[in-house]
Amino acid sequence: MTTLHDSAFLKAARGESVPHTPVWFMRQAGRSLPEYLKLREGIAMLDSCADPELIVEITLQPVRRYGVDAAIFFSDIVLPLKAVGVDLDIVPGVGPVVANPVRTLADVEAIPDLTADQIPYITAAVQGLVGELAGINGGTPLIGFAGAPFTVASYLVEGGPSKEHAKTKALMFGAPDVWDALMRKISGISAAFLETQVAAGASAVQLFDSWAGALTPGDYVRHVQPHSARVLEQVGKLGVPRIHFGVGTTNLLDLMGEAGADVVGVDWRTPLGRAIPMVGDRAVQGNLDPTLVFAPTDVMTARAAEVIEAGRAARGHIFNLGHGVIPSTNPDQLARLTEFVQSYPLG
């Protein structure tokens, strides 16, 4: 029997030798699973993220089905904002919608800080999960989850999802004092959300920056990196591995690593062979194109083998898709992919 500390996922995150390439999937909890869709019938997204029993069950579903090497905590990027009283909702087919977008310092100051006692359902869910996961495969690690400051700020400023992030950048460039105050506020909230999960038993964390790819390296360094670094530094004091992932961040991978990541997530647009020298002496996570699960199985596994082989050059490699599971994905195909990765010879 292995111990949780010796799990393939945590060993890879620490850059140690592994018995097999560990694998988990972003957005594995939910989306494509029929058991998830049945459980969520008639329940709003944010309501499901605040119910400990639902969180536990949804987080466990892909672990049971696939036997993946880590569980990702079921939550949403805007849940901490909802918890501190921001008027927002997740509109089906649209995404998070904020009633009163942030424009001024007064708007920022009206957002309270997050404390653990505001999210007792998170503590309860993590504790429940840790107990359940301890008995699966000799101990399956739980990854805590939070949105990175830039992405969360973009939702607050835009009022919802955006492709151009024009209002966000206008605030960042035109009102840097407001921007800095907003990013400091969000970094504190994100750090508190992750710290709560780790304090309850999460074994690692992932800071997810969906929209950072919209930035130039210079703007990232000046306006974003210090705030992401603050989150990662605070969580790093708790001694758990920190994964930092962004979408379309080919030009930012080195900077995202320097922000304080132990593991840099790489999306499917950047070959691992190119990404690994950029991230330095860090582990990498990724990065099969999520659409390859719709290809014939032999095509999918051949491409997965290429990813695994490329990952050998890194300090450590955690196999994942290059972004989240697409909702129409066939769960059986993900099961085949998991089995292939875990059985792929490393000797």
Side-chain angles (χ1 to χ4, degrees):
M1 293 287 289
T2 60
T3 64
L4 188 62
H5 181 268
D6 292 327
S7 67
F9 169 81
L10 290 175
K11 286 171 75 74
R14 296 192 299 263
E16 301 170 6
S17 61
V18 293
H20 65 267
T21 300
V23 52
W24 70 279
F25 304 111
M26 287 182 281
R27 295 178 180 163
Q28 66 186 14
R31 293 174 71 88
S32 68
L33 295 181
E35 56 265 41
Y36 165 78
L37 297 174
K38 182 177 180 180
L39 190 65
R40 276 284 317 281
E41 283 180 3
I43 304 174
M45 178 62 181
L46 289 175
D47 289 341
S48 67
C49 292
D51 183 319
E53 291 186 6
L54 281 177
I55 296 170
V56 169
E57 174 58 24
I58 293 169
T59 302
L60 288 174
Q61 284 176 348
V63 180
R64 295 194 199 105
R65 181 182 273 262
Y66 304 132
V68 285
D69 292 284
I72 180 69
F73 187 71
F74 176 72
S75 188
D76 189 87
I77 209 165
V78 298
L79 181 72
L81 297 178
K82 184 74 171 181
V84 299
V86 174
D87 187 356
L88 61 83
D89 195 13
I90 297 179
V91 178
V94 177
V97 175
V98 179
N100 301 298
V102 170
R103 296 287 182 271
T104 66
L105 274 175
D107 294 335
V108 176
E109 291 166 356
I111 302 172
D113 295 325
L114 179 68
T115 58
D117 59 8
Q118 293 169 299
I119 46 174
Y121 48 88
I122 298 296
T123 298
V126 172
Q127 290 174 340
L129 278 165
V130 170
E132 294 282 347
L133 290 166
I136 301 176
N137 296 328
T140 300
L142 175 66
I143 306 169
F145 166 86
F150 177 77
T151 295
V152 178
S154 183
Y155 280 116
L156 279 173
V157 175
E158 301 286 342
S162 171
K163 292 183 178 179
E164 296 82 15
H165 312 287
K167 294 175 182 176
T168 303
K169 292 184 179 182
L171 185 72
M172 186 170 69
F173 299 139
D177 56 333
V178 179
W179 177 259
D180 184 69
L182 177 59
M183 291 291 277
R184 287 179 180 277
K185 174 66 68 173
I186 298 170
S187 65
I189 290 173
S190 292
F193 193 57
L194 290 174
E195 286 172 333
T196 299
Q197 294 171 67
V198 174
S203 297
V205 298
Q206 174 158 291
L207 191 65
F208 194 98
D209 215 345
S210 308
W211 311 128
L215 299 165
T216 67
D219 290 333
Y220 180 82
V221 169
R222 188 174 302 111
H223 298 291
V224 175
Q225 189 188 45
H227 304 286
S228 293
R230 187 174 299 114
V231 179
L232 293 167
E233 180 182 10
Q234 282 189 233
V235 180
K237 295 175 183 177
L238 302 177
V240 298
R242 299 156 295 176
I243 306 168
H244 198 10
F245 175 77
V247 181
T249 52
T250 298
N251 61 336
L252 304 177
L253 290 174
D254 55 338
L255 301 173
M256 294 181 71
E258 291 167 8
D262 302 296
V263 183
V264 176
V266 183
D267 85 352
W268 76 94
R269 298 171 180 86
T270 308
L272 276 190
R274 184 183 303 168
I276 289 167
M278 295 177 65
V279 306
D281 189 26
R282 296 179 174 86
V284 293
Q285 178 176 278
N287 71 337
L288 189 72
D289 186 331
T291 64
L292 274 164
V293 300
F294 297 95
T297 300
D298 60 340
V299 174
M300 174 187 71
T301 54
R303 292 289 293 273
E306 293 177 7
V307 172
I308 297 170
E309 289 293 339
R312 291 175 183 267
R315 178 178 179 178
H317 177 218
I318 298 164
F319 189 95
N320 208 311
L321 301 179
H323 197 195
V325 174
I326 297 169
S328 55
T329 297
N330 180 352
D332 291 341
Q333 193 73 328
L334 281 183
R336 297 182 193 105
L337 179 58
T338 302
E339 181 181 6
F340 176 82
V341 174
Q342 292 174 335
S343 62
Y344 191 90
L346 294 180

